[in-house]
Amino acid sequence: MLTNRLKHFDKGAKLKMLVNDEAFSQMDETRTRDVIKFLRDYLGFQIICAMPTKHVGPLKPEFTREWSFSRTAAADNGEVNFVSEPDGKELKPDRLSELWERRRAQVREQAQLRFEVEEAELAERTASAKGVASAPKPSSAAENLRSEQAAV
């Protein structure tokens, strides 16, 4: 529908920029990323998205520039109440993707270690309830996680 309205496949001049204001606020991260990739990579659109700073984090690898605007009170001069101050950044999508993937791997590893600790504790409780003398020991990584959690 969008491509038809914008006459994307017609010959001649056509619109190649899409500006939206919080258009993805009701979508999950995966769908939002897929829509952005479709519009940018398949249809060739330049996309400008306005969204709150707290929602932009996971989507940063999809963009090459970021502009943040801060609203500050203006000097009491009787003309304006506030001033918007822009702050522009050049983003490196490849580096951002790499950082996000590294963080995902860390979270997966922590989840695995927690799982191992909980499994070992469950095995200990089960073994002690049955009167068995020894239970499987958690891995050294799981023991390290347990000691880190105790330290916190």
Side-chain angles (χ1 to χ4, degrees):
M1 184 170 92
L2 177 66
T3 56
N4 186 33
R5 281 303 273 168
L6 298 175
K7 302 183 184 304
H8 184 72
F9 296 110
D10 290 354
K11 294 186 188 231
K14 51 191 160 257
L15 180 66
K16 287 290 201 170
M17 181 173 64
L18 179 66
V19 179
N20 64 52
D21 183 14
E22 296 190 46
F24 305 116
S25 63
Q26 301 299 316
M27 269 191 221
D28 62 38
E29 179 187 327
T30 304
R31 285 193 177 124
T32 300
R33 184 173 276 118
D34 290 344
V35 168
I36 290 171
K37 285 179 181 178
F38 173 76
L39 291 170
R40 183 192 61 217
D41 300 341
Y42 181 71
L43 297 179
F45 278 80
Q46 176 183 0
I47 304 169
I48 299 173
C49 296
M51 64 183 74
T53 305
K54 65 182 179 181
H55 295 167
V56 76
L59 298 175
K60 276 188 179 183
E62 302 305 324
F63 296 96
T64 56
R65 264 180 218 265
E66 175 185 39
W67 286 91
S68 299
F69 294 89
S70 301
R71 184 175 169 164
T72 58
D76 192 16
N77 61 8
E79 293 180 18
V80 294
N81 295 332
F82 66 89
V83 176
S84 292
E85 296 180 5
D87 177 34
K89 296 177 191 171
E90 188 79 26
L91 301 176
K92 299 177 182 171
D94 295 338
R95 180 73 176 127
L96 286 168
S97 295
E98 180 185 314
L99 290 171
W100 275 102
E101 190 53 44
R102 190 179 313 154
R103 178 66 182 142
R104 284 185 191 102
Q106 289 172 345
V107 169
R108 282 188 208 106
E109 184 179 333
Q110 288 173 349
Q112 178 65 34
L113 293 174
R114 282 192 186 111
F115 177 78
E116 288 178 13
V117 167
E118 289 173 8
E119 285 294 305
E121 289 172 352
L122 179 63
E124 278 180 28
R125 286 194 302 266
T126 304
S128 65
K130 290 182 178 180
V132 177
S134 64
K137 296 271 185 185
S139 69
S140 60
E143 289 173 358
N144 290 341
L145 178 64
R146 185 184 297 166
S147 64
E148 286 176 16
Q149 288 174 341
V152 175

